[in-house]
Amino acid sequence: MKNTLTITFAEIKSLFRERIVYSITLVFILMSMASSFIGWSTFTTANAVYKSSVVFLQGQGITNIASNPLLKISTLTSFDNLIIYISLIGALLAIIVGHHSMMHERKSGILQVLFTRPVTKKSVIFGKVLGLSITIFSIVGITALISILSSYFLPLTPLNFSDISHLLVFFFISFLYMLFFAVIGLYFAINAKSQSLALFLPVCIWVGITFILPELGTGLTPTALLNPVTLLQLPILDTFFQVSQKLLAPFSLAWHYYTISGELLGSSFTASLPILKVLMKNILQILTLLGGTFIFLFLSIKSLERFDSKGDVVNE
Amino acid sequence: MNQIVTIAKKEFKDAIRNKVFLTFLIFLLGLTAISIYVGSVNYQAKVSLFEKTYAQLIVNGQPSDTLVKPEFFPLQLLRATIEYLEIIGAILAISLGYLSIAKEKGNGTLPLIFTRPISRKKYYIGKMLGNIALIVSISVILFLFTFLLIRFVGGVNLNSLEITKILLTTGATILYLFIFFSLSALFTIIVKHPSNALIFSFVIWLFFVLIVPQIGDTMDTDNQVPGGFFNAIHVNKEQSNIILKDFSTYEKLRNGTEEISITKHYERLVFAFLGIKDMYNNKFLGFIFKDKLQDLDLIVIFLLVFGITPVYAFNRSKNLWQQNE
């Protein structure tokens, strides 16, 4: 246990010393701030467009004017862009953090030295994963704090206790989602013979999970999958997509993440659902996400147990 | 000249032997097949929905003349393929640019190579030409595969105009991929540690390929409500254009955001060629070129900037002699 904690703290220190890690963390946090601003400016403009439309239609002699569709929008909809940014920048950041966590030690030969000490390979992995979890949790925590604070600085509808609780649960689910990618980054950093392959393979898996599996299950093209408004409003699905969605469910983690997040934050066509209801409804999806993380964690432990640090050479 | 050709040939052979390159090529071909299939299933679903609605209206004795039967335009099946090229094609190009420089940096072979009578400029141009040949091969293989899928699996005979449009799309794709190749090569040349250069390239890729177009898209007023904001308040296209004139600053900002992304220019140009944007369907090439000249110009500007900068950087960079991390 002591060894694991020592590795955990060393891991956190090492990650925060990496310029590339905190550069991307900064990009991620800035994008989260931008997300609130984009949500606010778009909502404000769309409201103003509605008012102008009413004046314009009245000028044309039309009296039967539809009510403002934006009034049905949930308070948390202005945070919808975060779902996309976390699935893009957050996941990539997590892969890089996971990659750095092991690749740095393989390249510098630290691993070889580490294994001469009385530490088990299991405790190395657990220490690293704990370090990764704390790092990612901190990044997500800062993002959550900024997002909640931004709602007080931007003239959005004030957030009540329920809204803040929904946001916090959303950020916790986002943390789990990012952790999954961090463990994938770690797994490939242990196994790949070259550093480039250790980065490209998890990126391929990420592209597959983010774009290909949802497309096969819904028919939505990659661009449509990046629009939080249209993302969760699916047309009636053809039999092909109904079947493929069921078959791909165990692997379609991005889609599960979009669904849970959409239900928590609400969208332009639904109000956000009560937290417990969302969690109960999506229990299988949450378990799938956790299951994916544990599978790659297990595979990482097995790979490290087989790992021979003496003959290890990492190519570019 | 001979030296450049020799280096280009070696670069081409090395890349073909590389697992990263092959993985991505197979991945892209698989995606092309999947996206064309999904596109056709989507089209069949639309037709089936139309037929059901039509039959229902007839049974109910209601007028059916407002219903428009979905038309089939085979090149529209390429929409998802193009979107994957924007995303994964760019990653493939980044991998080529990275590997092309990183392997020499990592092995420390450059000091040895430059003991031979070859200039740095010629050496980089040779590498660049080898990779251009590779990008051309990838694009040709991909669109040939697409053509064969449409022709023999879909059973659709493409006419000469449609084939020309596919060729133009291939050309635009080569230019687009070359920009990402050069960008990644540039980073690998100037950044001390090659792996950091790769991560920088990924961040730039993420920002300009995914985030910037996404911001532009989500800022669109009409995208705020499923089915369209203006549709929801019964305002047609002409009326919405008049209303949006009062919001020209916002629209300029939104459009300006999209314009900084090379991906958006590539997408606009290629979507016009393929008629994915309905207004370009069945239109002659002259009309499309005239309308999309600005996008083409910007692609060429990006190409010149990113094509030339690595040649200059390779000539000057001190970080090229950096050994393995």
Side-chain angles (χ1 to χ4, degrees):
Chain A
M1 189 61 192
K2 199 182 161 197
N3 284 340
T4 306
L5 286 178
T6 311
I7 293 165
T8 302
F9 290 122
E11 185 65 26
I12 297 168
K13 264 190 202 166
S14 154
L15 281 172
F16 279 109
R17 233 183 275 137
E18 285 286 345
R19 205 181 296 169
I20 195 86
V21 171
Y22 63 69
S23 304
I24 304 171
T25 305
L26 194 69
V27 171
F28 180 58
I29 292 171
L30 286 174
M31 281 314 296
S32 308
M33 285 167 79
S35 156
S36 306
F37 177 75
I38 293 166
W40 166 76
S41 70
T42 311
F43 184 76
T44 313
T45 310
N47 251 330
V49 170
Y50 175 76
K51 285 176 188 157
S52 285
S53 305
V54 171
V55 173
F56 175 82
L57 292 172
Q58 281 170 344
Q60 303 245 312
I62 299 166
T63 49
N64 186 16
I65 299 168
S67 62
N68 188 351
L70 300 169
L71 292 177
K72 296 169 196 161
I73 285 179
S74 140
T75 321
L76 296 175
T77 305
S78 46
F79 296 98
D80 268 0
N81 274 329
L82 274 174
I83 304 174
I84 305 297
Y85 296 151
I86 287 169
S87 74
L88 297 178
I89 314 175
L92 188 67
L93 168 66
I95 288 174
I96 291 167
V97 167
H99 168 88
H100 259 285
S101 159
M102 189 55 84
M103 193 49 82
H104 169 71
E105 320 225 321
R106 272 183 71 190
K107 287 195 90 171
S108 58
I110 294 174
L111 218 53
Q112 202 173 336
V113 179
L114 194 67
F115 291 149
T116 61
R117 316 283 306 163
V119 281
T120 61
K121 290 183 172 178
K122 226 176 240 173
S123 64
V124 170
I125 283 285
F126 283 137
K128 284 197 169 291
V129 173
L130 197 59
L132 286 177
S133 308
I134 295 171
T135 308
I136 293 172
F137 193 81
S138 314
I139 296 170
V140 174
I142 294 168
T143 314
L145 193 68
I146 289 171
S147 301
I148 292 168
L149 286 177
S150 68
S151 70
Y152 289 98
F153 289 106
L154 293 170
L156 293 162
T157 316
L159 299 180
N160 57 29
F161 179 75
S162 164
D163 292 333
I164 293 175
S165 314
H166 276 78
L167 267 177
L168 290 178
V169 176
F170 158 72
F171 279 111
F172 186 72
I173 297 288
S174 303
F175 156 71
L176 294 182
Y177 188 65
M178 283 171 69
L179 189 62
F180 167 73
F181 285 103
V183 177
I184 288 188
L186 177 80
Y187 170 76
F188 283 102
I190 297 171
N191 286 288
K193 279 190 179 154
S194 76
Q195 196 170 357
S196 52
L197 210 58
L199 265 173
F200 281 121
L201 289 175
V203 169
C204 273
I205 292 181
W206 168 69
V207 169
I209 289 176
T210 312
F211 297 107
I212 303 168
L213 295 181
E215 189 196 355
L216 282 172
T218 62
L220 290 174
T221 60
T223 311
L225 287 164
L226 294 177
N227 186 339
V229 176
T230 50
L231 178 65
L232 295 170
Q233 207 238 0
L234 290 176
I236 300 159
L237 291 177
D238 187 68
T239 323
F240 168 81
F241 294 119
Q242 285 174 6
V243 173
S244 62
Q245 203 172 59
K246 275 184 190 152
L247 288 175
L248 297 171
F251 313 102
S252 207
L253 300 180
W255 191 252
H256 299 331
Y257 173 67
Y258 294 150
T259 313
I260 301 167
S261 306
E263 288 177 359
L264 281 169
L265 299 184
S267 63
S268 46
F269 54 97
T270 55
S272 57
L273 299 174
I275 294 172
L276 209 61
K277 194 175 174 186
V278 176
L279 297 181
M280 292 309 288
K281 194 179 156 207
N282 293 294
I283 191 77
L284 265 180
Q285 282 84 339
I286 295 170
L287 287 176
T288 310
L289 185 58
L290 287 173
T293 309
F294 282 117
I295 287 172
F296 274 98
L297 181 62
F298 175 76
L299 291 175
S300 301
I301 295 169
K302 288 283 155 207
S303 304
L304 200 66
E305 276 171 357
R306 285 195 307 266
F307 187 79
D308 178 15
S309 58
K310 280 176 195 162
D312 186 34
V313 179
V314 187
N315 302 316
E316 278 299 331
Chain B
M1 190 62 193
N2 262 348
Q3 287 174 325
I4 293 177
V5 175
T6 311
I7 294 162
K9 276 184 186 167
K10 184 184 179 300
E11 191 67 16
F12 189 85
K13 275 185 196 162
D14 281 356
I16 285 179
R17 270 190 233 123
N18 194 294
K19 269 186 200 161
V20 174
F21 167 74
L22 280 177
T23 312
F24 272 97
L25 184 62
I26 293 166
F27 196 45
L28 259 177
L29 288 173
L31 278 181
T32 304
I34 289 171
S35 52
I36 289 183
Y37 180 69
V38 170
S40 66
V41 170
N42 255 337
Y43 171 72
Q44 279 160 11
K46 275 184 199 166
V47 173
S48 149
L49 183 68
F50 164 81
E51 282 166 355
K52 274 182 196 158
T53 317
Y54 185 81
Q56 194 65 47
L57 288 174
I58 298 292
V59 169
N60 295 346
Q62 289 173 308
S64 59
D65 48 349
T66 49
L67 271 186
V68 183
K69 188 176 180 182
E71 272 189 86
F72 178 66
F73 297 106
L75 296 188
Q76 287 188 344
L77 291 178
L78 269 72
R79 183 189 182 121
T81 306
I82 297 298
E83 290 185 7
Y84 279 124
L85 268 171
E86 286 170 15
I87 300 169
I88 299 163
I91 301 182
L92 174 68
I94 285 173
S95 77
L96 289 178
Y98 165 79
L99 291 170
S100 166
I101 308 296
K103 66 183 177 203
E104 311 288 6
K105 251 180 143 175
N107 299 338
T109 46
L110 281 175
L112 185 69
I113 288 168
F114 291 123
T115 58
R116 314 286 303 162
I118 181 164
S119 70
R120 283 192 184 200
K121 200 191 275 178
K122 274 188 183 170
Y123 185 70
Y124 180 77
I125 291 173
K127 276 185 164 290
M128 189 177 75
L129 289 178
N131 280 289
I132 289 176
L134 208 64
I135 289 171
V136 171
S137 314
I138 296 164
S139 306
V140 170
I141 290 172
L142 205 76
F143 283 101
L144 188 67
F145 180 61
T146 308
F147 170 77
L148 294 174
L149 276 179
I150 295 175
R151 172 71 189 83
F152 294 104
V153 181
V156 180
N157 270 323
L158 297 178
N159 61 35
S160 58
L161 181 63
E162 286 168 333
I163 292 172
T164 313
K165 285 179 174 179
I166 288 187
L167 287 174
L168 286 169
T169 303
T170 312
T173 303
I174 293 167
L175 301 184
Y176 174 72
L177 296 184
F178 177 67
I179 290 169
F180 279 96
F181 160 80
S182 294
L183 185 81
S184 155
L186 177 66
F187 277 133
T188 319
I189 292 166
I190 59 175
V191 174
K192 200 172 174 186
H193 302 298
S195 57
N196 283 354
L198 185 59
I199 293 170
F200 275 132
S201 304
F202 276 144
V203 173
I204 297 283
W205 163 81
L206 185 72
F207 200 71
F208 288 100
V209 176
L210 297 171
I211 306 285
V212 169
Q214 191 270 349
I215 292 174
D217 199 38
T218 48
M219 279 175 78
D220 191 341
T221 310
D222 206 29
N223 280 345
Q224 298 315 303
V225 176
F229 174 80
F230 289 111
N231 212 10
I233 57 172
H234 312 298
V235 167
N236 64 32
K237 187 78 188 161
E238 276 174 25
Q239 292 171 323
S240 70
N241 286 340
I242 298 169
I243 294 163
L244 285 176
K245 273 182 188 163
D246 291 339
F247 299 88
S248 58
T249 312
Y250 178 84
E251 281 298 307
K252 269 183 197 159
L253 184 75
R254 188 182 78 77
N255 195 41
T257 309
E258 285 189 347
E259 297 254 312
I260 59 169
S261 164
I262 176 66
T263 304
K264 207 67 198 174
H265 293 292
Y266 164 73
E267 184 182 286
R268 286 176 182 172
L269 181 68
V270 168
F271 276 15
F273 283 147
L274 300 175
I276 291 167
K277 273 257 172 196
D278 284 337
M279 65 175 285
Y280 298 102
N281 239 328
N282 294 330
K283 288 283 189 304
F284 286 108
L285 291 173
F287 172 81
I288 296 171
F289 271 115
K290 198 177 163 193
D291 211 49
K292 290 288 151 202
L293 195 62
Q294 196 198 350
D295 293 305
L296 187 61
D297 284 348
L298 281 162
I299 290 174
V300 173
I301 290 170
F302 271 102
L303 189 76
L304 289 175
V305 171
F306 288 111
I308 293 169
T309 319
V311 183
Y312 178 78
F314 197 84
N315 225 3
R316 303 289 295 262
S317 177
K318 285 175 186 154
N319 285 332
L320 273 177
W321 312 112
Q322 189 68 34
Q323 295 269 323
N324 227 341
E325 280 159 280

